[in-house]
Amino acid sequence: MSNIVSALNQKTYADGIAEVREIGLQGMITLRGDMASAAVKSAATGVAGVDMPAPSQVNCVDQRGICWMSPDELLVLCPYETVADNLAKMRKSLDGAHALSVDVSDARAVFDLSGPHAREALAKLVPVDLSPEVFKEGMFRRSRMAQIPAAFWLHTPDTFRIITFRSQAQYAFDLLKVAAQPGSEVGFF
């Protein structure tokens, strides 16, 4: 029997101005539908165990949460081992509603970029104003990180959680590692 592993098997880099860590397996369900629908809201919140976020926001507690991806798409987070049960629960809740729910857990890689210079390291890679006055906890962005698409939010006051495609995990890790290399402080934030 095969062991299920994440894209980089929890690879870590801690020798720079910020720590880069692939967090391991994370359950993720894409839910598409009308966000005004009670069935869609109930399916998302029932599985995630958190309130529905506003547009461009995220609501997460540990491995559970809801990320606002677009006007008709949510990313529902749950522990990896509960995805199949949660997907069945979601589909039952959505019965008759015009919606789509799909397990995307194994198609993604998730990283934490943490430390007092995490904001500075990520700002080198994304075209987003990450100043503390502008980018706060609870805000969610889908953008580009150098040459790849990425989604991210401030998971804790000094930790960004970043989601990329699994096929781009090594590239993302290397990007973050270079942005966090020793002596690369910019001193802007």
Side-chain angles (χ1 to χ4, degrees), residues 84-158:
D85 290 340
N86 283 329
L87 198 51
K89 180 180 175 183
M90 207 178 247
R91 288 180 177 158
K92 185 176 181 181
S93 176
L94 291 167
D95 189 35
H98 182 70
L100 172 72
S101 55
V102 178
D103 176 6
V104 296
S105 309
D106 294 326
R108 308 286 188 264
V110 185
F111 299 92
D112 275 351
L113 178 65
S114 60
H117 297 287
R119 188 178 295 268
E120 200 169 278
L122 187 58
K124 296 174 191 178
L125 302 172
V126 299
V128 176
D129 185 351
L130 294 181
S131 62
E133 300 78 29
V134 175
F135 199 88
K136 301 176 185 300
E137 280 187 77
M139 295 178 85
F140 183 84
R141 289 295 177 273
R142 288 176 78 174
S143 186
R144 299 205 59 79
M145 189 168 70
Q147 298 299 313
I148 61 172
F152 58 89
W153 68 95
L154 200 53
H155 193 62
T156 66
D158 70 345

Side-chain angles (χ1 to χ4, degrees), residues 26-29 31 40-53 58-68 74-79 82-83 85-87 89-90 93:
Q26 169 66 63
M28 291 181 252
I29 300 169
L31 176 59
V40 170
K41 288 179 184 178
S42 178
T45 59
V47 165
V50 298
D51 292 335
M52 190 78 154
V58 62
N59 190 1
C60 286
V61 177
D62 299 321
Q63 286 188 308
R64 295 190 168 280
I66 303 173
C67 306
W68 187 91
L74 299 173
L75 183 64
V76 180
L77 306 175
C78 61
T82 68
V83 170
D85 290 340
N86 283 329
L87 198 51
K89 180 180 175 183
M90 207 178 247
S93 176

